[in-house]
Amino acid sequence: PPLSAPELFYQRALAGDAVEIVTVAEEVLRERSLSEYYDQIALPGLRLATDDVERGLLSEDRAGRICATVEEVLSDLADHDDRAPTRRTVDPEAAGAVAEIRDRPEAPVLSGEELAPDWRSDQAIVCVGAEGPLDGAAASLLSQLLGKHSLPSAAEGPDALTTRGLYQLGSPTTRLACLVALSTTRPTHLRHAVRRLRRRFPQALVVLLVHGAAAGAVENHGADTAVVSLTEVVAHAVDAARATAKAPLSPALVGSA
């Protein structure tokens, strides 16, 4: 049988063929949003790679090549907005990929006025890969999507969860920390990672993303909430970051009104 869109993504990422991935992706993005492409093609492809890592079929070096390819893809797709497109693709492979993608609700793109002041820092959101380098690549995909919705964020690999890494992670202004996992085969590790993020950011919302798991069947492992898609993380961040009220006028402005 022909390979699925995620399988083709994995195959090309393993070969380091970012050009072909981007060529097909840009055709898919004529009909689907960036978040739909990442959620339903790119990340499932990375999950296939993660499965092979866990089975001992994919070496660390080859996983690193996939991550490097993902970084190239992210760079090449950086100009695309995360909005529902209105065009059509005539590319057969892209049309097949489009048919595999299910419609998802869109999260709004916030304006500066809608963004609460404490969510405007570059470190307002941190996205951290839970364990291997592929989790780190998934965190980078999430970080780019958050930026498309006017939500500044930083993406880090699992080294950020070490004692030294935690010291340098985020800032006192961090409002949301998302742990990104492509596998749940080591639940103890997830609990430990969530606990470390909670200790580093006691005032922040801690979200656990276990991509592709069955909705409603994911244990939160101590996080405030557990979700199964990038779209859900963006929606949580948008809801939390939206200013609940306009800031009061300064006395000087009040006097001049």
Side-chain angles (χ1 to χ4, degrees), residues 125-174:
I125 303 175
V126 293
C127 311
V128 185
E131 191 164 1
L134 295 168
D135 288 340
S140 294
L141 292 174
L142 172 59
S143 181
Q144 187 185 79
L145 277 185
L146 288 165
K148 302 298 180 184
H149 294 265
S150 303
L151 296 166
S153 66
E156 301 290 346
D159 286 348
L161 295 168
T162 64
T163 301
R164 180 186 294 273
L166 281 169
Y167 180 77
Q168 299 173 334
L169 180 65
S171 74
T173 63
T174 295

Side-chain angles (χ1 to χ4, degrees), residues 29 32-36 80-86 106 109 148-149:
L29 292 172
R32 297 296 185 180
S33 67
L34 189 64
S35 57
E36 288 174 324
H80 287 270
D81 294 327
D82 187 28
R83 298 178 185 272
T86 57
E106 286 187 66
V109 177
K148 302 298 180 184
H149 294 265

Side-chain angles (χ1 to χ4, degrees), residues 89-108:
T89 180
V90 296
D91 179 79
E93 181 183 326
V98 167
E100 295 180 32
I101 295 176
R102 301 183 304 278
D103 288 332
R104 294 279 177 85
E106 286 187 66

Side-chain angles (χ1 to χ4, degrees), residues 27-154:
E27 285 295 320
V28 172
L29 292 172
R30 288 176 173 267
E31 297 194 38
R32 297 296 185 180
S33 67
L34 189 64
S35 57
E36 288 174 324
Y37 174 77
Y38 283 168
D39 249 337
Q40 300 185 56
I41 293 180
L43 279 192
L46 292 182
R47 287 207 319 273
L48 292 172
T50 300
D51 290 344
D52 281 350
V53 168
E54 292 179 343
R55 289 196 292 262
L57 301 176
L58 187 67
S59 68
E60 184 175 330
D61 286 347
R62 297 174 82 196
R65 184 189 307 160
I66 291 172
C67 293
T69 304
V70 169
E71 290 300 320
E72 290 185 52
V73 172
L74 279 166
S75 177
D76 287 340
L77 297 181
D79 292 335
H80 287 270
D81 294 327
D82 187 28
R83 298 178 185 272
T86 57
R87 297 174 296 168
R88 305 284 294 181
T89 180
V90 296
D91 179 79
E93 181 183 326
V98 167
E100 295 180 32
I101 295 176
R102 301 183 304 278
D103 288 332
R104 294 279 177 85
E106 286 187 66
V109 177
L110 299 179
S111 66
E113 294 74 21
E114 291 178 291
L115 199 62
D118 53 350
W119 287 79
R120 296 173 188 171
S121 159
D122 289 343
Q123 299 290 328
I125 303 175
V126 293
C127 311
V128 185
E131 191 164 1
L134 295 168
D135 288 340
S140 294
L141 292 174
L142 172 59
S143 181
Q144 187 185 79
L145 277 185
L146 288 165
K148 302 298 180 184
H149 294 265
S150 303
L151 296 166
S153 66

